[in-house]
Amino acid sequence: MNDFAFSVLDVFAEPYAAAPQLTARLRIEERTGRRIHAVALHCQVRIEPQRRHYDDAEQSGLQALFGDRDRWTDTLKPFQWMSCDTTVQGFSGATEVDLALPCTYDFDVIGSRYLHALGEGSVPLALMFSGTVFTRGSKGFGVEQVPWDCEARYPMPVEVWRRMMAAHFPNTGWIRLDHEVLARFADFRARRGLISWDETVQALLAEHDEVGPANPDQVCSDEVVV
């Protein structure tokens, strides 16, 4: 059996990616001395929120995810951020490989909401590895599994994620809307002659402030916030 040790050397923003992407630089060490022909590597990237401190502003921003602060003993649990794959070329002893971590600013994704709420400090990441190992010996090729206990932890600076998102979405963010809701937004914008989506949302919020909170049981007219 192979004996692997994984470590994360760095996590950095990919500067020329078409969409937001971090890259994790991994070091993989095989400690039995066997020749590795290739590894089809799978990785689950988790965030372990219980492994860091939160100031008052961060606690307020995370309330929607984890509830009131006095409940965090029960609710502040690790959660999966993403899954990703890569192929590791053949090596003996140890090698280094880049693992692409595609990111999103979609606020329907819990990882994005969590990261957006953070101020300074680091994001406690846990990378859990699995996959298939291909070996080559005197009798031909062999196939084994990456041991189930292979993992690595890394404190990624929040600023790395923040700079990456700022490069792709400068001073902006986005939310996903149902087609019907989006059509009503577009109709409201056209009838009011509004120039931008920002102006459209601001107009709807201003109307909402004037008339007060809408009753969710009532059917909204075209000019009430949806």
Side-chain angles (χ1 to χ4, degrees):
M1 289 291 294
N2 295 298
D3 182 13
F4 286 100
F6 288 79
S7 57
V8 181
L9 304 179
D10 192 16
V11 175
F12 56 90
E14 197 62 48
Y16 304 111
Q21 177 188 308
L22 297 171
T23 297
R25 186 67 174 173
L26 305 178
R27 176 180 169 82
I28 307 173
E29 182 181 359
E30 203 292 310
R31 296 180 289 199
T32 68
R34 300 174 66 186
R35 171 69 184 174
I36 302 300
H37 180 64
V39 182
L41 187 65
H42 177 72
C43 178
Q44 292 185 28
V45 184
R46 298 181 182 178
I47 295 176
E48 299 183 322
Q50 76 281 8
R51 290 174 46 213
R52 61 159 285 165
H53 171 76
Y54 301 94
D55 62 26
D56 291 342
E58 291 170 332
Q59 291 181 32
S60 177
L62 293 171
Q63 186 174 11
L65 289 178
F66 303 119
D68 294 334
R69 184 65 181 86
D70 57 5
R71 297 182 54 213
W72 282 17
T73 302
D74 298 321
T75 61
L76 209 64
K77 304 295 184 182
F79 61 88
Q80 183 166 319
W81 186 18
M82 66 180 75
S83 294
C84 41
D85 301 272
T86 192
T87 300
V88 182
Q89 301 298 317
F91 69 96
S92 294
T95 188
E96 295 182 8
V97 63
D98 287 341
L99 178 66
L101 308 177
C103 300
T104 177
Y105 209 5
D106 186 351
F107 274 47
D108 284 341
V109 177
I110 185 174
S112 297
R113 296 171 64 188
Y114 172 82
L115 290 163
H116 182 75
L118 300 184
E120 305 296 332
S122 60
V123 184
L125 300 181
L127 286 74
M128 324 293 287
F129 299 101
S130 60
T132 304
V133 181
F134 300 92
T135 60
R136 183 167 55 187
S138 59
K139 296 183 180 180
F141 289 96
V143 178
E144 300 177 3
Q145 297 300 308
V146 174
W148 63 269
D149 57 347
C150 287
E151 59 184 59
R153 285 178 168 78
Y154 184 79
M156 182 188 74
V158 176
E159 187 61 23
V160 171
W161 181 84
R162 197 178 303 281
R163 287 199 306 266
M164 175 192 65
M165 286 303 178
H168 288 273
F169 306 107
N171 299 316
T172 60
W174 64 277
I175 56 175
R176 184 168 50 193
L177 298 176
D178 181 82
H179 285 294
E180 182 178 349
V181 175
L182 186 59
R184 294 183 65 185
F185 267 114
D187 179 67
F188 180 88
R189 174 180 175 179
R191 287 187 290 102
R192 294 297 183 89
L194 302 173
I195 298 175
S196 67
W197 290 113
D198 278 349
E199 192 175 6
T200 302
V201 173
Q202 288 172 359
L204 286 166
L205 290 174
E207 287 196 3
H208 179 274
D209 291 341
E210 290 177 2
V211 302
N215 186 340
D217 297 327
Q218 294 178 347
V219 178
C220 298
S221 69
D222 286 345
E223 294 186 3
V224 177
V225 64
V226 291

